[in-house]
Amino acid sequence: MSNTIRETRMSKGMTQTELARLVNISRPYLVDIEKGNSNPSTSIAISIAKALDTTVESIFLPELSYKNNKGKRISV
């Protein structure tokens, strides 16, 4: 599953270690999620979004996120 965790995290000046600590997961697991090698549970996805002060949709479904697509037409 593609996501924008890395980009969002870096835009906030946060390290993988800091985000993993805030979400209460290991850094290697966060790396796997960022790379799309592992899909987080719903509760972890929500925790990641909260820690990054954004929505789950903007991280895990960026092509469908209203926040990222204002004024753009989305074809489904």
Side-chain angles (χ1 to χ4, degrees), residues 20 31 49 64:
V31 170
L64 299 179

Side-chain angles (χ1 to χ4, degrees), residues 28-62:
Y29 182 45
L30 176 61
V31 170
D32 282 344
I33 295 170
E34 279 189 356
K35 290 182 176 180
N37 296 333
S38 196
N39 291 325
S41 67
T42 303
S43 63
I44 290 175
I46 291 168
S47 294
I48 290 170
K50 284 183 180 179
L52 294 173
D53 192 32
T54 191
T55 64
V56 172
E57 294 86 357
S58 68
I59 293 175
F60 293 99
L61 300 168

Side-chain angles (χ1 to χ4, degrees), residues 12 22 24 30-31 38 46 66 73:
K12 297 185 179 292
L22 285 171
N24 200 29
L30 176 61
V31 170
S38 196
I46 291 168
Y66 173 77
R73 295 197 92 178

Side-chain angles (χ1 to χ4, degrees), residues 62-66 68-76:
E63 66 279 358
L64 299 179
S65 172
Y66 173 77
N68 290 338
N69 291 297
K70 286 184 181 174
K72 295 181 186 174
R73 295 197 92 178
I74 301 172
S75 59
V76 182

Side-chain angles (χ1 to χ4, degrees), residues 4-22 30 34 51-53:
T4 63
I5 295 170
R6 183 175 190 271
E7 295 83 2
T8 306
R9 174 181 58 75
M10 291 180 73
S11 75
K12 297 185 179 292
M14 190 180 295
T15 67
Q16 289 174 333
T17 301
E18 290 169 332
L19 179 56
R21 190 173 297 132
L22 285 171
L30 176 61
E34 279 189 356
L52 294 173
D53 192 32

